[in-house]
Amino acid sequence: MGTRPAELRALLDSVARQDGAAVRTVVVGNGAPVPELPEGVESVELPENLGIPGGRNVGIEAFGPGGRDVDILLFLDDDGHLPDAGVAEAVREAFAADPRLGIISFRIADPDTGVTQRRHVPRLRASDPLRSSRVTTFLGGANAVRTEVFAQVGGLPDDFFYAHEETDLAWRALDAGWQIDYRADLVMHHPTTAPSRHTHYHRMVARNRVWLARRNLPLPLIPVYLGVWMLLTLLRRPSWTALKAWFGGFAEGWRTPAGSRRPMRWRTVWRLTRLGRPPVI
């Protein structure tokens, strides 16, 4: 967004320090001017904010159509950095060792406390963030994706703008037979934040949850999935302002087009269930 030039420079420096072959780097200015960058770092400036998935899709195309000029794409938020110089090599080794591995989700930790927030562990059993595992989704701010995944299932859903775009891609990738790993040893430092402090967060989360279900789930599971999430939202007892925004987004999700519908196969539903997160929660 162009508001964190010092943090962006720290991130780029951490990428430049990675062991092994140099990492080709592109910075996307999502509706904001790109600050001065180190030599060799490329940039794309967008005239308007396309949202997180839209901006990342533009970044993908900077590496050729569908990112085909490279084998792996890393997505890193501009206010984080990689404390370990071995991350890029570990990512290369992981993809080389498993041809069906499509996505790697990094562990996000606070740089001062080392704490990983529960919401940053992409599985239901999140009490031990130091345990790596196969998962059913991934973290948008720190991940690596094999470009074959984009070639096979398409990019992130532009219209989501913010929230659940990673799960939409993850479900499509899993349905196509790819694997997703959460790697606790691949760390990105990122300050602890609470996105729920913004009212628009609740609207976007609810709207996109409906779109996610309408696009990807078999018809019998849609009311179950959305009913469970409505119940969980009420049990969390958000403020009246937040709840009003949530129900407004929920209604918007039904009123507006959700995009192409490609329901996952029932064997993918079973696969998600075996991985510990059936697509009803």
Side-chain angles (χ1 to χ4, degrees):
M1 294 296 294
T3 58
R4 297 185 285 244
E7 291 87 343
L8 173 62
R9 186 59 183 252
L11 169 67
L12 295 175
D13 289 346
S14 74
V15 173
R17 288 195 298 268
Q18 292 298 300
D19 298 333
V23 179
R24 182 182 165 195
T25 308
V26 173
V27 174
V28 178
N30 208 350
V34 176
E36 184 178 353
L37 300 174
E39 184 178 354
V41 176
E42 304 166 54
S43 66
V44 179
E45 286 192 6
L46 303 176
E48 61 177 311
N49 183 358
L50 300 182
I52 293 173
R56 287 181 179 150
N57 283 336
V58 169
I60 293 169
E61 295 300 310
F63 296 90
R68 69 184 182 191
D69 292 350
V70 295
D71 297 322
I72 304 163
L73 284 165
L74 277 70
F75 297 87
L76 304 170
D77 277 357
D78 65 348
D79 54 347
H81 71 278
L82 302 174
D84 183 357
V87 170
E89 278 292 89
V91 166
R92 294 184 184 107
E93 291 170 2
F95 282 113
D98 185 353
R100 295 312 301 167
L101 178 60
I103 302 172
I104 297 175
S105 187
F106 298 1
R107 180 167 66 89
I108 293 178
D110 185 273
D112 297 322
T113 66
V115 171
T116 296
Q117 292 179 275
R118 188 179 182 89
R119 69 186 181 90
H120 284 153
V121 183
R123 59 178 180 242
L124 289 179
R125 296 176 181 175
S127 59
D128 182 8
L130 300 182
R131 179 174 65 87
S132 299
S133 68
R134 285 265 147 97
V135 289
T136 62
T137 188
F138 65 99
L139 306 177
N143 66 80
V145 183
R146 195 188 294 268
T147 48
E148 285 182 56
V149 173
F150 295 120
Q152 186 172 0
V153 306
L156 295 155
D158 286 339
D159 291 342
F160 278 43
F161 197 85
Y162 168 81
H164 304 317
E165 67 273 3
E166 300 93 355
T167 300
D168 186 88
L169 176 62
W171 283 0
R172 285 182 279 129
L174 289 164
D175 196 50
W178 296 100
Q179 303 280 6
I180 304 173
D181 279 355
Y182 167 69
R183 287 282 299 266
D185 58 317
L186 303 181
V187 178
M188 180 180 187
H189 277 171
H190 187 284
T192 299
T193 57
S196 57
R197 66 190 184 276
H198 301 300
T199 301
H200 73 270
Y201 163 86
H202 299 281
R203 181 180 70 85
M204 302 290 270
V205 163
R207 183 198 68 180
N208 292 358
R209 183 82 67 185
V210 177
W211 282 357
L212 179 68
R214 289 174 57 196
R215 287 162 58 93
N216 295 288
L217 291 181
L219 284 174
L221 294 185
I222 294 176
V224 180
Y225 177 79
L226 296 177
V228 167
W229 276 103
M230 181 180 290
L231 177 61
L232 287 173
T233 299
L234 294 172
L235 289 174
R236 289 169 178 167
R237 302 178 66 182
S239 68
W240 169 245
T241 301
L243 194 60
K244 184 178 178 181
W246 192 93
F247 275 105
F250 190 83
E252 183 182 349
W254 287 107
R255 289 196 312 267
T256 53
S260 301
R261 175 166 164 75
R262 290 180 285 183
M264 66 178 66
R265 293 167 292 182
W266 283 103
R267 70 180 184 185
T268 304
V269 172
W270 175 237
R271 185 177 173 205
L272 291 167
T273 303
R274 287 189 290 110
L275 286 170
R277 188 153 199 164
V280 293
I281 188 170

